[in-house]
Amino acid sequence: MPLSTFLVEDNSLIRHNLIAAMEDEVDIHLIGTASTEAEAVAWLEENPGAWDLLVVDLFLQEGSGLGIVKRSGRCRPGQRVVVLSNYATGEIADWARELGADAVFDKSLELDGFFALCAGLEAEGR
């Protein structure tokens, strides 16, 4: 069963390449994207149960991915929030986890780990 995935990434080239890679590596159903905190939070508030996987970059055109993580509003078991950022340093990663991220990956170094997590979620039927 495909993972209903919402992606928050402000760089259009990275967003395009990440979507293509996710579709190649994992069975996802992309249900939406946002490039700002406000867009993402509005979508999440309007669609609280629609997603299985929320993938969030930290530094956006407007706002912060940390604000999205904090306000992700999970309403059902199995929803997962993953931070995928070039700034996934120890302190920032800890902060993201404290705000509710299930996992934090560096998108330039840890894509294999990210895809492995997604494959595990897919295998769980989430």
Side-chain angles (χ1 to χ4, degrees):
M1 176 176 228
L3 291 170
S4 294
T5 303
F6 189 79
L7 174 63
V8 184
E9 170 62 60
D10 63 342
N11 182 302
S12 61
L13 179 60
I14 292 173
R15 183 175 53 246
H16 174 78
N17 290 336
L18 185 56
I19 291 167
M22 289 174 70
E23 288 174 340
D24 284 346
E25 297 289 328
V26 185
D27 188 13
I28 69 157
H29 171 65
L30 186 69
I31 57 175
T33 64
S35 59
T36 69
E37 180 179 353
E39 290 172 350
V41 169
W43 188 91
L44 290 166
E45 288 174 353
E46 292 173 11
N47 302 279
W51 55 278
D52 301 313
L53 178 63
L54 172 63
V55 181
V56 182
D57 186 15
L58 291 178
F59 293 99
L60 304 169
Q61 289 176 359
E62 175 207 307
S64 165
L66 291 173
I68 298 165
V69 170
K70 183 177 179 179
R71 297 173 64 194
S72 61
R74 294 177 227 200
C75 70
R76 62 179 172 80
Q79 289 180 305
R80 299 290 186 258
V81 178
V82 176
V83 170
L84 189 61
S85 176
N86 286 325
Y87 302 96
T89 62
E91 189 174 311
I92 291 176
D94 290 344
W95 193 9
R97 285 187 197 94
E98 286 175 25
L99 292 173
D102 295 295
V104 180
F105 296 98
D106 184 312
K107 66 180 156 188
S108 55
L109 301 173
E110 299 177 313
L111 281 179
D112 288 341
F114 169 69
F115 292 135
L117 176 116
C118 293
L121 295 174
E122 180 186 358
E124 291 175 13
R126 300 240 163 36

